[in-house]
Amino acid sequence: MAQVNQGVRPKQSGKSLAKQPSLSQLRAFTAVAEHLHFRDAAAAIGMSQPALSGAVSALEEALGVQLIERTTRKVLLSPAGERLAVRAGVVLEAVAALMEEAEAVRAPFTGVLRLGVIPTVAPYLLPTVLRLVHERYPDLDLQVHEEQTSSLLEGLAAGRLDLLLLAVPLGVPGVTEIPLFDEDFVLVMEQDHWLGGRADIPRDALRELPLLLLDEGHCLRDQALDICREAGRTQGAPVTTTAAGLSTLVQLVAGGLGVTLLPRTAVPVETGRNDALSTGYFADPAPTRRVALAMRTGSARGGEFEEFAAALREAMKPLPVRIVDSPPG
């Protein structure tokens, strides 16, 4: 059997471990490995700094391996520590999966559900989601996190989030999409714009319009640009990126700086309070986006999330969307 030469304490060499590492010791070590700072690591896992230091020392004693190189200025992982940090992370992920599965088996729609939602969906769909949870799943502790798509996917992969509500397709390995609905995009412009009020706007009208978009990182920006490219918009056509949210974007349109595209569920909220705005609808087939739930593939709560999606589809039927049935599994 190969032995780790650097950092191994001689008194343990060649012998089986007398003690098993505890989960708290592994959590303390992985936190230090991530932050390389005892105070930051302790704060990250809600442990006092002396307790964290003691847990790491106890883990080193149990394993017979020096994991941390402590200096007066910084904390470094030993070569053995770098290798074992990966193993420790795998163990903690497995324990988290075990706890998740046990909770799901015990009772569906109870406990915590950490739902991630993108900003261009949250204000318009959350009232429906919250009403459904309140009426049908009163024992479910729903915790909502509004973030951009990339951050939501990172949170889902890391186990920080359980379920996402966002625009698809994602094309991300290890993520299963549960479709909810399709919705059209609507052109929003000033009240006296020549396209205002029309229900047959051709897509190629987007080729030369002064288009206002969200900042980089919003999936709605990418979807709008895709629509423009499909319409034949050239790279040189003016595209102004000035807004971090749809509400600001619509106010810029009202101020005469250009036009924009809104998903139809956002139109009543964002345009209904401003008489300076007009809307127009595209001729069929209109540009659309699909909104779905997304979960980790193989999640222990997969059946629960499928049932939740079915309930959401029913609750969203009054919205200006086209409900999409989930494909057979």
Side-chain angles (χ1 to χ4, degrees):
M1 178 184 297
Q3 296 182 345
V4 179
N5 293 322
Q6 185 167 359
V8 177
R9 301 179 182 178
K11 64 177 182 178
Q12 294 285 349
S13 179
K15 297 181 180 180
S16 60
L17 299 178
K19 299 179 181 179
Q20 291 290 328
S22 69
L23 291 178
S24 63
Q25 292 169 357
L26 294 177
R27 290 192 186 97
F29 169 52
T30 55
V32 173
E34 178 181 355
H35 294 277
L36 295 178
H37 194 287
F38 275 88
R39 184 179 65 244
D40 293 346
I45 62 174
M47 180 182 284
S48 70
Q49 188 171 333
L52 178 128
S53 180
V56 173
S57 295
L59 180 63
E60 290 178 320
E61 182 68 26
L63 296 177
V65 173
Q66 181 182 347
L67 303 172
I68 305 294
E69 296 179 3
R70 302 165 178 84
T71 70
T72 56
R73 290 193 172 185
K74 57 185 176 180
V75 175
L76 298 174
L77 292 180
S78 70
E82 291 181 356
R83 292 177 58 182
L84 294 180
V86 176
R87 291 285 188 179
V90 171
V91 171
L92 292 176
E93 288 176 4
V95 171
L98 174 67
M99 298 302 294
E100 178 187 357
E101 185 162 357
E103 181 178 353
V105 169
R106 185 180 74 250
F109 299 108
T110 61
V112 175
L113 174 58
R114 298 163 296 182
L115 177 68
V117 191
I118 56 175
T120 58
V121 162
Y124 321 113
L125 298 186
L126 278 180
T128 301
V129 174
L130 296 176
R131 190 181 309 114
L132 172 69
V133 171
H134 176 73
E135 294 175 355
R136 187 174 296 193
Y137 310 116
D139 295 325
L140 186 65
D141 179 10
L142 182 66
Q143 299 177 0
V144 177
H145 302 261
E146 185 184 48
E147 302 169 21
Q148 292 185 9
T149 299
S150 59
S151 177
L152 292 180
L153 289 171
E154 290 172 1
L156 186 69
R160 178 174 60 84
L161 299 172
D162 304 309
L163 190 65
L164 308 181
L165 178 60
L166 72 179
V168 296
L170 301 169
V172 177
V175 175
T176 296
E177 300 169 9
I178 312 173
L180 296 175
F181 62 81
D182 293 335
E183 66 174 326
D184 294 341
F185 281 98
V186 177
L187 190 66
V188 179
M189 64 213 94
E190 285 185 279
Q191 181 63 44
D192 58 353
H193 196 280
W194 65 280
L195 289 174
R198 289 183 55 174
D200 60 348
I201 299 174
R203 289 199 191 198
D204 59 15
L206 293 171
R207 290 179 181 175
E208 301 300 332
L209 291 174
L211 189 66
L212 300 172
L213 298 177
L214 292 173
D215 290 337
E216 295 280 356
H218 289 275
C219 62
L220 187 59
R221 172 191 172 90
D222 298 330
Q223 292 161 352
L225 289 174
D226 287 342
I227 292 167
C228 291
R229 280 189 286 269
E230 291 171 4
R233 188 183 182 96
T234 63
Q235 285 294 109
V239 174
T240 306
T241 303
T242 52
L246 291 184
S247 295
T248 303
L249 198 62
V250 167
Q251 295 306 312
L252 295 173
V253 172
L257 296 186
V259 303
T260 195
L261 293 168
L262 289 186
R264 194 162 179 177
T265 51
V267 171
V269 174
E270 300 300 346
T271 67
R273 55 197 175 196
N274 195 324
D275 295 336
L277 295 169
S278 178
T279 56
Y281 296 86
F282 291 92
D284 290 335
T288 65
R289 75 169 179 177
R290 174 162 292 186
V291 173
L293 294 176
M295 65 178 179
R296 288 183 294 276
T297 301
S299 169
R301 303 175 73 177
E304 179 183 347
F305 294 158
E306 290 279 2
E307 184 178 338
F308 186 55
L312 276 177
R313 292 188 198 100
E314 189 66 27
M316 290 174 176
K317 283 183 177 179
L319 300 177
V321 300
R322 294 182 296 281
I323 301 299
V324 178
D325 290 330
S326 180

